[in-house]
Amino acid sequence: MSATTTESTNLEQQLVAFRLATELYGVGIGQIQEIIRLQEITPLPRSEADMAGVINLRGKIVPVLDLRKRLNLPEADPTRATRIIVVAHGDGCVGLIVDDVTGVLRLPKDTVEPADRMAGGLEAEALLGVGKSGENLVLLLDLEHVLRGKSATLEEAA
Amino acid sequence: MNDDMSEFLGVFLDEALEQIALLEQAFLRLEQEPTAELLQEIFRAAHTLKGSSRAMGFVSMGELTHAMEDVFDRLRHDELTVSPELMEALFGGLDALKAMHDEVAAQGMTALDTAAQTARLRAVLKGAPSPAGEAVPPAPASDPVSAPTSMVTLTATQLAAAQDALGAGCSLYQLKIVFAADCVMKSVRAVMALQMLAPISSVLALYPDEEAIENEEFESEIEVIVATEKDMETVRAAVLRTNEVRAVHISEHAENGRLPRRQNTQALPETITQPPATQPIVSEKKTTPREEGLEKTKTTPVVSEISPSNVAVSAQSGGHSGQEGPTAASASRTSPPPVQSHTVRVDVARLDCLLNLVGELVIDRTRMAQLCSQLEAEAGGLSLLETLSETAGHIGRITDELQNEIMKARMLPVDNVFSRFPRMIRDLAQKLGKEIQFVVEGKETELDRSVIEVIGDPLIHMLRNSVDHGIELPEAREQAGKPRQGTVSLRARHQDNHIVIEIEDDGKGLDPEKLRANAVNKGILTQEAAARLTDREAIHLIFASGFSTAQVVSDVSGRGVGMDIVRSNLEKLGALIEIESKVGVGTTFTVKLPLTLAIVRGLLVVVRGCVYALPLNSVVETLLVEADAVHSVGQSELVHQRDQTLSLVRLSDFFALEANTTPAERTLEKARHQERRDRTKPPASPRTAANRARKTDVLEVDISANPDAGNSLAREPHAAGVETIANKRLTLVIVGLGNRQIALAVDSLLGEQEVVIKPLGGFVGEIRGIAGATILGDGRVALIVDVPDLVTAVLEEKGKAHAAGR
């Protein structure tokens, strides 16, 4: 899936925006397969702490990542707004737990700046950049990095 | 290779593989006992392979098979005798063919140079006494079929075959296939056209003969006489499917003469290069030819003394190679009377997909049954509900049947794997200077594809082991009063819901004393521990990692894979492996395999609110014990059961469930599903991969096989640390394979159920002790426990703990 080409024009890109802790994040809309409500997650034993477990998505077993933990954000209890964003990964897909999905937004490309100016608990390399949508800052999440990093640690552990 | 050839590549490869396998088996028999029929069979296979590889443009492959074919031609005319050099040359050629096949399969082409093998075969031919080594087979000039008339004719034998076919309700058609004037590879097109005909008809005769066609020794058309049950239009349509066929003239063939009775020509406009489905089929009186064919049937005397087996191809193939080819050979398979094939080749991926879909159905069936019983409990008595239940029950039964049928469709005879062993054993025996008779029994036993695919390697290693370590050298055998020739048997049979494969040799057997000594030398066991092993346990030492009894690691059994890998690979399949051995008499390995790997019966257990499935084939028994039946020894726990002392593993501890359950997750669970988790233990600190190794406290357990177990039990019978289990009865599931059993403590049992194994996927990676996941009737996900892996993990951790203790 060539996310960056399908949904983006030269001038702006379409993102699904979601909230994690205090920040607003965005992921290219083409990378997202679906967004579902939080459902029962079967924990996976002996796996990484940020691996929440697996869910049954219409007969498919889909692993779910706790994105807060993955990004070293403080843990929080789920609420009614908590969602799982399902993204394609390799041959299958992976779910990401987020606090809330706020909707789709268009981000003019010229507002995007490199992420290294960001600080805080967040790993800067997990971001593609920071954009501005109205008054809000949107952190563009580098899904490849988030998921690849995950797989790599697992491989090392195995 | 050109694009439209690629669609034939798959068929070509499949067929080539078949022919190569056939050749290999025939070669092995040839070495034992060359018979005329065998030579005929080999010759035909080689010829078919030659024809199809040339047609596909694999010239070097064609050259090589051509040389082989020539050898067989000489052999069957007694102009050459089977010699070791000859066999080596042939086997060498066969290996090259295999290599080429694999290359073509992988890359669509092959660059392998077969000159050496070809030259070797030619050299063997040159050494032959009679008609000096011209590799070219006798010119087919004397063949009546290739008579230089413009019309193809039937020879006497072909005529007999034709009459036979007519007797069986077939019609004879004469085809003139005209190729486009600018056709680049006429020979290829011609062979492709003939291949199109092969599945629906028997080619009785063709002009020019096949050799000439392959060598492109024809102008722009070829003529064919076929016998078929199909009507003219079907035959024509089949031929027209070949590219660059400009026109097909088809007419009925009067079996007693050369005059076509009815001309029915369809010309193609030359501009059209993709003719098939879109071509309007012009045909007046469609049924007429067929009817006439039938009429003819009535009047044709049936030549009954000609049996179907010697008609057409084989009957007239006497001394000329020219008449047989891919078409002829495949015709002989379907041959007169042409019976419509009752099998189809189905892509494996499609079967897998079907099985997956059925897997979904199986899950839904269970779920539906559950919903029905829930509904009945809540709103029983409604007649609508009754109907629903009935329907659900029916769907359930249909699903079961469907599942059974699909499982059957995926079954393959185990011969698919076994067939490659005779050659391997032969080569191996030769290399090692041993004399070995290899006996295969039950190769028709059927097994699911998923299992067939994976048992090959473990079996190879076990067979290698038997040949290398089991069977002695001929001299040694004689000294021991045994026949020079050793016997290795490979047997397969069904037993209950399993397949049992046995590998038996009458070699020197496993010597428990040597094994013990070896284990001590290698530092696997201490002197005392080794001494305490029973002979049976000692024999099983060959499965210990880092263990090899061969003084010198030969390149035969060596190959870097020990029996420990063999066992763990087999156990991954849910297989049980046992050894029986007697010094000086021989060794038998028994492997018990499940029939399929896709669906298993599982025992569902609950641990900390999560459901786990334990494959039933590894469950020995379940039992409820009082808490005081558990003895703690240091950090490990043991349970005494029926004269056995088993180490106890709490599944919750092994899977570190508490530790893995973070506050967020617990709240999540709480928010949606009430408090289901058992919270008798305080949550431990979050565990990471780094400190996994530290988790030896629960893993450091003894098992019965360990001689130290009884000892330490005596030392510390009732240690402290049992408070977590005090005043509680424990639900235990005894699991294990063979003599390695452990007791798993679970919270409760849910029952048995058929579960469809789904992989966790690459993102999750491998988790120790987990084989995959399945979806339960209520939609929840249950993890499937990989019992062999879990047992191994427990033993490994125990081993480490022991090592650390010393």
Side-chain angles (χ1 to χ4, degrees):
Chain A
M1 203 173 291
S2 53
T4 42
T5 53
T6 47
E7 84 283 355
S8 306
T9 64
N10 285 334
L11 296 174
E12 59 175 27
Q13 60 188 130
Q14 242 178 322
L15 303 170
V16 166
F18 57 86
R19 235 172 21 78
L20 264 184
T22 53
E23 305 293 340
L24 197 63
Y25 292 80
V27 168
I29 204 166
Q31 290 170 278
I32 292 177
Q33 290 201 335
E34 63 187 297
I35 296 161
I36 55 175
R37 287 175 180 280
L38 186 64
Q39 53 167 288
E40 184 180 357
I41 300 176
T42 302
L44 286 173
R46 297 186 148 212
S47 57
E48 299 291 308
D50 52 12
M51 179 66 84
V54 289
I55 56 167
N56 165 17
L57 185 64
R58 291 185 303 276
K60 279 207 181 74
I61 305 286
V62 175
V64 175
L65 210 56
D66 187 331
L67 204 51
R68 270 182 177 256
K69 280 193 202 163
R70 175 75 187 116
L71 299 176
N72 298 324
L73 297 170
E75 290 175 19
D77 287 351
T79 66
R80 296 172 61 86
T82 305
R83 294 287 181 274
I84 297 176
I85 297 181
V86 181
V87 299
H89 178 75
D91 296 333
C93 41
V94 177
L96 304 168
I97 303 178
V98 301
D99 290 356
D100 192 3
V101 173
T102 55
V104 176
L105 54 86
R106 288 168 191 279
L107 203 63
K109 285 223 162 138
D110 51 17
T111 70
V112 178
E113 285 175 40
D116 52 16
R117 295 166 65 188
M118 280 298 301
L122 199 64
E123 310 164 41
E125 62 265 35
L127 297 180
L128 290 168
V130 182
K132 218 170 185 181
S133 168
E135 292 297 296
N136 298 318
L137 280 182
V138 183
L139 310 184
L140 301 183
L141 198 62
D142 183 352
L143 271 188
E144 284 305 310
H145 177 86
V146 168
L147 299 178
R148 182 180 55 228
K150 182 71 202 160
S151 291
T153 31
L154 270 174
E155 273 154 30
E156 280 158 25
Chain B
M1 194 180 36
N2 139 356
D3 266 354
D4 49 73
M5 288 295 277
S6 60
E7 64 182 286
F8 298 104
L9 190 59
V11 178
F12 164 72
L13 286 171
D14 283 357
E15 282 185 359
L17 200 61
E18 269 169 30
Q19 304 295 351
I20 292 173
L22 208 143
L23 281 174
E24 177 155 87
Q25 282 172 13
F27 283 10
L28 289 166
R29 271 156 59 206
L30 185 69
E31 216 171 11
Q32 306 294 321
E33 186 185 13
T35 64
E37 300 90 74
L38 185 62
L39 283 168
Q40 194 65 41
E41 191 183 310
I42 295 178
F43 180 79
R44 206 173 301 140
H47 189 86
T48 307
L49 196 57
K50 178 191 78 176
S52 56
S53 49
R54 278 188 181 170
M56 293 300 290
F58 301 120
V59 182
S60 52
M61 212 163 171
E63 284 305 304
L64 184 55
T65 36
H66 193 156
M68 285 172 131
E69 186 190 346
D70 289 343
V71 169
F72 291 114
D73 197 41
R74 293 291 178 78
L75 278 173
R76 65 180 184 169
H77 290 114
D78 290 327
E79 296 166 6
L80 207 65
T81 48
V82 177
S83 65
E85 305 85 67
L86 177 71
M87 286 319 294
E88 282 313 306
L90 286 174
F91 275 122
L94 198 61
D95 288 341
L97 282 180
K98 269 192 221 167
M100 278 191 276
H101 171 274
D102 294 348
E103 249 191 52
V104 172
Q107 308 157 9
M109 54 162 291
T110 174
L112 270 183
D113 184 14
T114 58
Q117 278 84 4
T118 311
R120 198 166 163 202
L121 285 165
R122 294 282 174 217
V124 174
L125 275 174
K126 283 254 163 60
S130 65
E134 274 312 304
V136 188
S142 59
D143 197 315
V145 172
S146 61
T149 54
S150 62
M151 200 78 74
V152 61
T153 57
L154 292 173
T155 62
T157 39
Q158 286 168 338
L159 193 60
Q163 281 166 346
D164 216 34
L166 285 171
C170 294
S171 311
L172 289 191
Y173 296 127
Q174 182 154 347
L175 281 88
K176 189 183 270 187
I177 305 170
V178 185
F179 298 96
D182 56 349
C183 177
V184 192
M185 292 162 80
K186 269 182 300 182
S187 61
V188 171
R189 297 297 168 207
V191 174
M192 281 164 71
L194 292 175
Q195 278 175 350
M196 288 300 187
L197 282 172
I200 56 165
S201 65
S202 303
V203 175
L204 294 178
L206 72 143
Y207 177 82
D209 68 28
E210 206 216 331
E211 192 97 3
I213 288 178
E214 281 170 18
N215 296 332
E216 229 169 278
E217 289 161 10
F218 62 97
E219 287 303 314
S220 63
E221 54 184 58
I222 60 169
E223 291 180 61
V224 194
I225 296 175
V226 296
T228 179
E229 286 184 311
K230 309 277 185 204
D231 60 33
M232 268 191 199
E233 293 313 320
T234 314
V235 175
R236 186 212 310 285
V239 177
L240 283 178
R241 226 169 281 148
T242 316
N243 283 352
E244 292 183 292
V245 166
R246 196 164 61 83
V248 178
H249 304 277
I250 187 164
S251 58
E252 273 189 64
H253 184 271
E255 84 285 348
N256 57 348
R258 301 175 180 193
L259 284 174
R261 207 179 278 172
R262 177 183 294 271
Q263 199 83 24
N264 188 354
T265 302
Q266 186 188 7
L268 280 172
E270 267 172 291
T271 47
I272 291 182
T273 49
Q274 295 287 334
T278 53
Q279 270 309 308
I281 291 172
V282 186
S283 167
E284 357 76 275
K285 294 185 196 169
K286 243 182 195 167
T287 52
T288 318
R290 185 81 188 98
E291 279 161 8
E292 282 180 15
L294 286 172
E295 264 166 43
K296 207 174 297 166
T297 308
K298 284 173 207 147
T299 55
T300 309
V302 177
V303 188
S304 55
E305 61 267 35
I306 293 182
S307 73
S309 62
N310 62 6
V311 289
V313 182
S314 48
Q316 64 95 345
S317 55
H320 306 295
S321 55
Q323 277 304 309
E324 298 174 9
T327 50
S330 39
S332 79
R333 254 182 266 133
T334 55
S335 82
V339 185
Q340 196 142 14
S341 168
H342 289 294
T343 58
V344 280
R345 265 181 210 266
V346 179
D347 194 332
V348 163
R350 190 159 293 173
L351 278 180
D352 285 346
C353 173
L354 273 177
L355 188 69
N356 276 337
L357 290 174
V358 169
E360 302 286 319
L361 263 184
V362 169
I363 290 163
D364 283 344
R365 172 202 61 184
T366 318
R367 173 155 208 194
M368 202 142 83
Q370 270 182 16
L371 283 175
C372 279
S373 54
Q374 266 175 29
L375 263 179
E376 249 155 49
E378 283 173 22
L382 285 175
S383 68
L384 206 58
L385 192 57
E386 224 164 80
T387 322
L388 181 67
S389 287
E390 270 170 28
T391 317
H394 187 238
I395 290 181
R397 283 193 299 281
I398 300 280
T399 308
D400 285 346
E401 265 173 51
L402 195 59
Q403 185 190 332
N404 275 335
E405 288 303 315
I406 290 181
M407 294 309 289
K408 271 187 215 152
R410 289 168 51 92
M411 293 291 212
L412 285 177
V414 77
D415 191 33
N416 276 279
V417 201
F418 284 13
S419 62
R420 51 179 156 138
F421 297 151
R423 170 75 190 282
M424 181 195 87
I425 302 267
R426 171 200 174 271
D427 288 359
L428 213 56
Q430 211 156 57
K431 205 161 165 189
L432 297 167
K434 293 182 179 177
E435 289 174 26
I436 291 174
Q437 185 194 6
F438 184 51
V439 183
V440 178
E441 284 172 36
K443 61 184 177 187
E444 68 288 338
T445 314
E446 290 196 324
L447 199 52
D448 189 80
R449 239 182 44 76
S450 55
V451 187
I452 291 265
E453 277 172 0
V454 285
I455 54 167
D457 282 351
L459 288 182
I460 285 177
H461 285 297
M462 285 158 72
L463 284 170
R464 283 172 172 273
N465 192 70
S466 289
V467 173
D468 197 10
H469 304 319
I471 303 287
E472 313 91 329
L473 288 167
E475 297 71 38
R477 290 182 64 88
E478 270 178 345
Q479 276 168 22
K482 294 192 206 174
R484 279 178 68 86
Q485 192 181 43
T487 304
V488 175
S489 314
L490 176 63
R491 287 186 288 264
R493 63 167 195 275
H494 280 295
Q495 194 179 55
D496 306 324
N497 237 350
H498 286 84
I499 180 172
V500 176
I501 297 177
E502 283 174 352
I503 294 176
E504 183 181 353
D505 68 65
D506 64 348
K508 57 177 178 269
L510 294 166
D511 185 347
E513 277 315 310
K514 276 191 191 155
L515 291 167
R516 284 192 189 99
N518 213 320
V520 175
N521 284 341
K522 296 224 160 97
I524 296 169
L525 284 177
T526 60
Q527 193 86 44
E528 309 83 63
R532 249 181 266 117
L533 291 181
T534 63
D535 282 359
R536 199 178 125 80
E537 283 164 350
I539 285 171
H540 280 82
L541 274 175
I542 67 164
F543 291 129
S545 59
F547 198 93
S548 171
T549 48
Q551 258 78 18
V552 187
V553 176
S554 64
D555 67 329
V556 177
S557 295
R559 283 213 171 180
V561 179
M563 290 301 278
D564 54 327
I565 308 287
V566 171
R567 175 162 79 174
S568 70
N569 282 345
L570 282 172
E571 286 185 346
K572 269 196 194 119
L573 312 178
L576 257 168
I577 177 165
E578 285 287 322
I579 325 173
E580 292 288 327
S581 186
K582 218 166 175 183
V583 179
V585 178
T587 308
T588 307
F589 290 93
T590 308
V591 180
K592 200 172 161 195
L593 285 158
L595 285 182
T596 180
L597 302 179
I599 297 179
V600 295
R601 283 202 73 75
L603 173 69
L604 302 185
V605 301
V606 183
V607 183
R608 299 282 183 270
C610 292
V611 180
Y612 287 82
L614 296 163
L616 222 50
N617 62 0
S618 53
V619 172
V620 179
E621 65 175 321
T622 61
L623 46 114
L624 213 57
V625 297
E626 297 299 330
D628 59 8
V630 176
H631 311 284
S632 293
V633 181
Q635 300 283 10
S636 55
E637 291 178 312
L638 299 167
V639 61
H640 212 64
Q641 176 62 23
R642 292 197 228 289
D643 305 329
Q644 264 190 315
T645 306
L646 299 176
S647 54
L648 174 76
V649 175
R650 290 165 194 271
L651 219 46
S652 54
D653 288 345
F654 181 81
F655 286 145
L657 285 186
E658 209 66 35
N660 196 46
T661 314
T662 62
E665 277 158 2
R666 258 177 285 153
T667 323
L668 183 157
E669 289 278 309
K670 200 195 294 185
R672 298 183 54 82
H673 298 281
Q674 309 300 324
E675 176 82 274
R676 274 214 319 258
R677 285 165 190 278
D678 183 349
R679 263 183 234 295
T680 52
K681 280 186 176 179
S685 59
R687 203 174 298 282
T688 63
N691 62 11
R692 252 183 222 171
R694 209 173 47 81
K695 189 64 186 168
T696 46
D697 48 350
V698 286
L699 299 168
E700 186 201 332
V701 286
D702 279 309
I703 70 152
S704 59
N706 189 320
D708 286 341
N711 225 15
S712 26
L713 190 63
R715 254 186 279 122
E716 267 182 298
H718 292 275
V722 283
E723 70 280 345
T724 49
I725 50 161
N727 307 319
K728 256 178 101 181
R729 296 176 91 191
L730 278 179
T731 309
L732 299 184
V733 183
I734 314 289
V735 295
L737 296 154
N739 59 344
R740 302 189 305 160
Q741 295 185 354
I742 58 172
L744 294 178
V746 301
D747 294 350
S748 62
L749 305 177
L750 274 188
E752 276 177 46
Q753 192 182 310
E754 214 149 63
V755 297
V756 181
I757 303 178
K758 290 169 180 277
L760 288 173
F763 183 73
V764 175
E766 291 202 359
I767 297 179
R768 211 70 217 260
I770 297 290
T774 191
I775 294 166
L776 299 175
D778 61 2
R780 280 202 286 164
V781 179
L783 299 176
I784 299 169
V785 178
D786 184 342
V787 173
D789 191 44
L790 186 136
V791 173
T792 309
V794 167
L795 295 181
E796 264 173 28
E797 304 279 358
K798 181 204 71 175
K800 272 182 210 160
H802 270 254
R806 285 195 176 100

